[in-house]
Amino acid sequence: MRQASTATRSPRGATALFAVVCGIAVANVYFAQPLLVTLGKEFALSPAALGAVVTLTQVGYGLGLFFVVPLGDLLDRRRLITAQLLLLAAALFLAATATTATVLLAAMASVGLFAVVTQSLVACAASLAEPARRGRVVGAVTSGVVTGILLARTVSGLLADLAGWRSVYFVSAVLACAAALALRRVIPPRDTPAPALGYGRLLASTVRLFTGERLLRRRALFALLVFAAFSTLWSCVALVLSERPMSLSPTAIGAFGLLGAAGALAANAAGRLNDRGHARRTTGAGLAVLTLSWLPLAFTTHSLWALAAGVILLDLAVQAVHVTNQSVIHALRPDAGSRLIGGYMVFYSIGSAAGAIASTALYAVAGWGAVCVLGAAFSALALAVWAFAKDGTDERTSEPSIRLAPEVLGGRPHRADAPAVPNLGP
């Protein structure tokens, strides 16, 4: 099986399709957030236990990132991505038909496991992009991810009000099947030799990438802390808004996700700044804004305007840092792109799961103010890590710095004089 070479060109509009499918896939991770109160009533789950709905989805996502996404460096990506989307559709159907809390939670974990097709697509898009445009392409595809995340809550709340919460998962299952058919026509087949290593060595090489590259470890730590803060807000805010004095409907709660549209703008801007060599500055600015966002968020129980301002700042900051992270780490070893992105995103999932379970448990015993302190602590810690890492290595995005032998990682050495990979056209 072979991967797209320089002779293969992606169809026009492939980047847009990748962005749309990424949005469809990643939305499934967030559909449950505006529905937590509804799910709690139907399946008799306590407020503290509701965090398990989000946490198990993130746990499944984390497992998929480590065990599934790296396969993109070994198998034909067209077949792998198609299979992931079809399995995601099956997991969504299971969630839609669940009659017990046990089946629901198992379905949510499965949804997370196969929703990692999002990261398979990001790695695929990055590998098809010209090196000089990689940040821009990653930013464009990630803007689709951001749009999927922010629309997930709105669409979920609206469908739940119109046709019940089960309709959310039925509709998404159909969209996943349609996406599988569309991408099978667009992703080029593999036409270069696959790495000569088995599945076990593939996973081991992912670990070696982390032990061999300090920059990758630092960017993974940023992901853990940033998405712990992100999940702290979005896993808990539905509980606040559904209670008195707010008493908002699922549709109204989901509508606040639209305010995160600023994140899509930040994704594109961050990609362009990375291509110009401003990765470190973009990261620092994003982490500073993330920390400041918790000030207006602390006043959510008194003002929806304060919540709106905080959401805009938080989503803008998170996506700016996330796109920069992915662009920087893919440049380290382009031929191991799936392993780099998958390993990095494991820390994203750990952070998201930690934020979800910690925030819902803390809210149950100490209220919204304590949740905001937790989110601010995650954010400030990430900013401190950035501030003390002043060696400038984050700016090295054009040359791979991993010194591990190519045969250890299962790939061929990156050559500066190698022909450009095909352009993933706009």
Side-chain angles (χ1 to χ4, degrees), residues 44-419:
L45 296 171
S46 67
L50 283 175
V53 175
V54 177
T55 300
L56 283 175
T57 306
Q58 294 294 347
V59 168
Y61 201 83
L63 292 173
L65 289 168
F66 186 78
F67 290 103
V68 178
V69 174
L71 287 170
D73 291 334
L74 185 63
L75 306 178
D76 182 278
R77 280 183 175 145
R78 180 168 63 177
R79 294 182 181 179
L80 177 63
I81 289 171
T82 300
Q84 284 179 270
L85 284 166
L86 294 177
L87 289 170
L88 175 60
L92 289 165
F93 182 79
L94 180 63
T97 57
T99 57
T100 67
T102 300
V103 173
L104 175 70
L105 294 175
M108 291 300 179
S110 299
V111 166
L113 180 66
F114 298 116
V116 295
V117 68
T118 301
Q119 299 311 317
S120 297
L121 286 165
V122 171
C124 184
S127 71
L128 293 174
E130 294 176 349
R133 297 184 66 254
R134 184 171 292 125
R136 200 172 308 174
V137 169
V138 171
V141 174
T142 303
S143 69
V145 178
V146 178
T147 303
I149 292 173
L150 68 92
L151 288 180
R153 304 178 185 95
T154 304
V155 171
S156 177
L158 181 61
L159 284 177
D161 279 348
L162 293 176
W165 69 268
R166 296 179 188 274
S167 67
V168 176
Y169 295 98
F170 276 125
V171 170
S172 190
V174 173
L175 291 176
C177 290
L181 293 175
L183 283 173
R184 186 167 180 79
R185 295 174 175 270
V186 169
I187 299 175
R190 188 172 196 134
D191 63 359
T192 58
L197 76 168
Y199 182 60
R201 288 184 62 198
L202 180 77
L203 297 183
S205 70
T206 303
V207 177
R208 292 190 184 99
L209 286 167
F210 276 89
T211 59
E213 180 52 59
R214 178 177 56 183
L215 177 54
L216 177 59
R217 295 195 299 271
R218 183 182 306 144
R219 288 288 167 173
L221 179 58
F222 286 154
L224 188 153
L225 294 171
V226 164
F227 282 97
F230 182 84
S231 187
T232 293
L233 170 66
W234 288 112
S235 298
C236 201
V237 72
L239 302 178
V240 179
L241 297 179
S242 64
E243 295 176 353
R244 293 181 179 179
M246 305 297 185
S247 301
L248 300 183
S249 68
T251 298
I253 294 172
F256 275 92
L258 292 174
L259 296 173
L265 300 176
N268 280 308
R272 293 176 184 275
L273 287 170
N274 177 78
D275 289 340
R276 296 171 184 169
H278 300 304
R280 177 170 170 79
R281 296 187 189 91
T282 303
T283 302
L287 294 175
V289 171
L290 178 65
T291 304
L292 291 173
S293 71
W294 290 98
L295 181 59
L297 287 172
F299 293 93
T300 293
T301 54
H302 303 288
S303 170
L304 292 179
W305 288 108
L307 172 62
V311 165
I312 291 172
L313 291 175
L314 183 139
D315 276 12
L316 187 153
V318 166
Q319 299 309 327
V321 175
H322 185 43
V323 169
T324 304
N325 284 348
Q326 291 183 102
S327 299
V328 166
I329 65 174
H330 192 279
L332 293 172
R333 184 68 189 256
D335 58 312
S338 291
R339 280 166 283 176
L340 287 166
I341 295 294
Y344 160 81
M345 289 296 295
V346 167
F347 288 81
Y348 153 95
S349 190
I350 292 171
S352 295
I357 197 69
S359 63
T360 51
L362 188 60
Y363 180 76
V365 298
W368 178 248
V371 170
C372 290
V373 171
L374 176 66
F378 284 135
S379 308
L381 181 56
L383 182 59
V385 171
W386 173 86
F388 283 105
K390 295 183 177 180
D391 56 4
T393 55
D394 282 11
E395 299 294 351
R396 294 186 290 106
T397 62
S398 60
E399 292 294 331
S401 57
I402 292 178
R403 305 305 181 199
L404 299 179
E407 59 271 18
V408 173
L409 296 175
R412 292 176 293 183
H414 175 78
R415 292 173 24 231
D417 60 344

